[in-house]
Amino acid sequence: MSRFVRASKYRHVFGQAAKKDHGFENVKVTGSAWDTNVISASAEYISVNWNASGGGAFAILPLPSPFVPHPSLPYKLPDSLPLARSHTAPVLDTEWSPHDDSLVASAGEDGKVMIWKVSPDVFEGWGAEGWVPKDFDPVWRIDASPRKVGQVLFHPTAENVLASASGEHLVKLWDLARTEDPQLVLSGHTDTIQSIAFSPTGTLLATTCRDRKLRLFDSRAGGDAVRAVDGHGGIKGTRVMWMGDLGKIATTGFSKMSERQVGIWDVGQGLANEKTTALDQSAGVVMPFWSDNNILFLAGKGDGNIRYYEYESSSLYALSEYKSSDPQRGMCFLPRRALNISECEIARAYKVHGSSIEPIAFIVPRKADSFQSDIYPPAPAKEPSLTAGEYFSGRGEVTRKLVNLDTGKTVTSSGGASPAPTKTASAPVPAPASIAVSFSQPASASTPTAPPMSASRSYSQPEPSPVRKETTPPPLARKESTPAPAKSASPVDDPENVQLKAELREAREKIRNLELQLEATKANAKRAAEALLNV
């Protein structure tokens, strides 16, 4: 047995939960059974799917910090607060733009996708005497599908490009400046789409589906997948996540025996399965999150813990585990450019449990007065690389802009992921059989080297492809798509529409006043009951 430990600067990373008054309580989380993360975060705000009457809604709140309480908002939210309410059925997913921290998209069971712009002054005077909440209004409404829309996702490098996955088993790509029709449609799914993920530069898009297939699309060409392989064997929820610039994809799902699994797939080798590993027998869907520190976070719904692993040399090494007795209903991670580098915070999660939102900081325990460049690789920048028009027309090279977390300077990266496989008529590469294994234990100074995930039986793995610039399939394998012609701008609303909007706004105000009266009546009744009990 080796006397040496595996060298890693992340061996002692620990999760630090925020104090009670640093998060939010009295959160009325949606009761929808749709598999979603429930919460999403930008560098300034968070959005939470809300349990509201009279249609669908979600809440928009200022970003809480695990280190200090919010300067103006109470940690216990008021019973009535401003909501984004324009959906007529439950909101299923929300997503913040990577290029504008105040722009958020929502998708609902009503088949609509809506875009919302948040103004900072909307939070002034919250909870003060005489304060009246005023709901948010969308800036764009998109009739995305005749069926429900389960996922929305902004493009990582092209400005105002949005993907939506609907009950039609299609992924549609939209230009927010021209929302009458989708610019591209990705097809070929035979059942419900369960998750979608763009590659770091956005030239490729991966999906998981209820038909147990993992698909890879050329997101600038549209049409069918350039590659489809067998994914996890179980029919329960699966998730997909790109592993940064490594040219790999991580998926979570279930085996045919209902074991929870994590799989690693090599894009450069035709989506060959590098390794599929059994986790445990729990029933909750596992939510994967990737950090460019080469750390994969796994959080199971209904679990209280968050496991995290370092990916190195085609293996996942267990680092540690954040443990809690509060089962999580949903989770999201903060964009890396907004981390607190003075506290050596390398990742931050926002956990939804019960009626609370809890920030959790993952920290490298160091005492340092200067910037720790070895644990802070450049993060994706806010600046887009392309406009929507350039992206859909095929003009310009798709690159990735990164920001130095110390200096704030932006640099351009070519992406670095392996090239996409060419679409061929050959049969999909089958995934290896599920292998029941156990993760290696966290390394410590007194323990031997932590081995990678080991299997009771082994199989040959493809040679890893060299790290190259991410490219799309050759011209013969892709369908060129001409972007839809720009339509003329909509005319100014006629007087009838203006009157209808005014009546709708007045009706919303009446509903809000009635809700406030109801809350006041409940409070008076409670005080009266307490007075009777004290007599």
Side-chain angles (χ1 to χ4, degrees), residues 172-254:
K172 301 178 182 179
L173 272 67
W174 305 87
D175 179 351
L176 295 186
R178 297 180 291 170
T179 58
E180 297 87 354
D181 297 296
Q183 300 299 303
L184 291 172
V185 177
L186 310 181
S187 56
H189 303 91
T190 61
D191 209 329
T192 303
I193 300 170
Q194 295 178 321
S195 69
I196 59 177
F198 277 112
S199 63
T201 59
T203 56
L204 301 173
L205 185 139
T207 68
T208 59
C209 182
R210 193 177 171 86
D211 62 9
R212 304 182 183 91
K213 296 288 186 182
L214 171 64
R215 291 178 172 86
L216 192 65
F217 293 87
D218 179 351
S219 62
R220 300 187 84 179
D224 291 339
V226 297
R227 194 68 172 171
V229 299
D230 293 330
H232 298 275
I235 200 171
K236 292 183 180 179
T238 57
R239 297 292 186 91
V240 62
M241 175 66 61
W242 283 82
M243 299 171 66
D245 292 336
L246 300 179
K248 314 280 185 179
I249 291 175
T251 61
T252 58
F254 293 80

Side-chain angles (χ1 to χ4, degrees), residues 11 80 213 241 270 323 379 440:
R11 284 192 299 121
S80 183
K213 296 288 186 182
M241 175 66 61
K323 295 183 179 180
S440 57

Side-chain angles (χ1 to χ4, degrees), residues 139-457:
V139 293
W140 284 297
R141 290 179 172 88
I142 304 174
D143 292 325
S145 173
R147 300 185 180 181
K148 66 183 178 184
V149 179
Q151 295 92 17
V152 283
L153 185 65
F154 276 100
H155 194 279
T157 58
E159 187 176 24
N160 291 335
V161 174
L162 182 75
S164 65
S166 67
E168 302 170 278
H169 308 159
L170 299 173
V171 177
K172 301 178 182 179
L173 272 67
W174 305 87
D175 179 351
L176 295 186
R178 297 180 291 170
T179 58
E180 297 87 354
D181 297 296
Q183 300 299 303
L184 291 172
V185 177
L186 310 181
S187 56
H189 303 91
T190 61
D191 209 329
T192 303
I193 300 170
Q194 295 178 321
S195 69
I196 59 177
F198 277 112
S199 63
T201 59
T203 56
L204 301 173
L205 185 139
T207 68
T208 59
C209 182
R210 193 177 171 86
D211 62 9
R212 304 182 183 91
K213 296 288 186 182
L214 171 64
R215 291 178 172 86
L216 192 65
F217 293 87
D218 179 351
S219 62
R220 300 187 84 179
D224 291 339
V226 297
R227 194 68 172 171
V229 299
D230 293 330
H232 298 275
I235 200 171
K236 292 183 180 179
T238 57
R239 297 292 186 91
V240 62
M241 175 66 61
W242 283 82
M243 299 171 66
D245 292 336
L246 300 179
K248 314 280 185 179
I249 291 175
T251 61
T252 58
F254 293 80
S255 70
K256 292 181 179 179
M257 302 301 294
S258 296
E259 289 180 309
R260 294 199 296 191
Q261 298 176 321
V262 57
I264 307 296
W265 311 79
D266 193 328
V267 177
Q269 295 293 328
L271 279 186
N273 181 259
E274 192 172 273
K275 184 171 291 187
T276 296
T277 305
L279 296 174
D280 51 40
Q281 287 281 356
S282 296
V285 173
V286 177
M287 299 174 285
F289 303 95
W290 177 258
S291 168
D292 286 334
N293 306 81
N294 288 356
I295 297 177
L296 179 66
F297 294 86
L298 299 179
K301 287 192 173 183
D303 298 353
N305 62 330
I306 304 172
R307 291 174 275 197
Y308 40 104
Y309 310 90
E310 185 175 10
Y311 183 81
E312 185 180 38
S313 303
S314 301
S315 297
L316 285 173
Y317 294 87
L319 291 173
S320 188
E321 183 176 1
Y322 169 80
K323 295 183 179 180
S324 169
S325 59
D326 299 315
Q328 53 234 7
R329 289 196 56 190
M331 185 173 292
C332 70
F333 272 65
L334 182 71
R336 288 185 53 248
R337 57 185 166 83
L339 294 173
N340 189 335
I341 59 176
S342 64
E343 298 286 346
C344 292
E345 180 189 35
I346 62 167
R348 184 188 303 175
Y350 287 94
K351 172 181 174 178
V352 178
H353 61 89
S355 60
S356 302
I357 297 175
E358 179 184 36
I360 303 170
F362 291 91
I363 297 171
V364 176
R366 289 184 179 180
K367 292 183 179 180
D369 297 327
S370 59
F371 177 71
Q372 304 294 296
S373 59
D374 61 321
I375 61 173
Y376 286 110
K382 284 182 63 175
E383 293 80 4
S385 301
L386 296 173
T387 65
E390 291 171 336
Y391 178 78
F392 286 115
S393 65
R395 300 194 308 269
E397 182 181 3
V398 180
T399 57
R400 189 184 186 203
K401 291 189 176 180
L402 304 175
V403 60
N404 185 302
L405 296 183
D406 181 28
T407 63
K409 293 182 179 179
T410 301
V411 297
T412 300
S413 168
S414 60
S418 300
T422 303
K423 181 178 179 179
T424 64
S426 59
V429 178
S434 170
I435 303 173
V437 301
S438 59
F439 287 99
S440 57
Q441 296 298 318
S444 65
S446 59
T447 57
T449 303
M453 299 179 188
S454 58
S456 56
R457 56 189 178 93

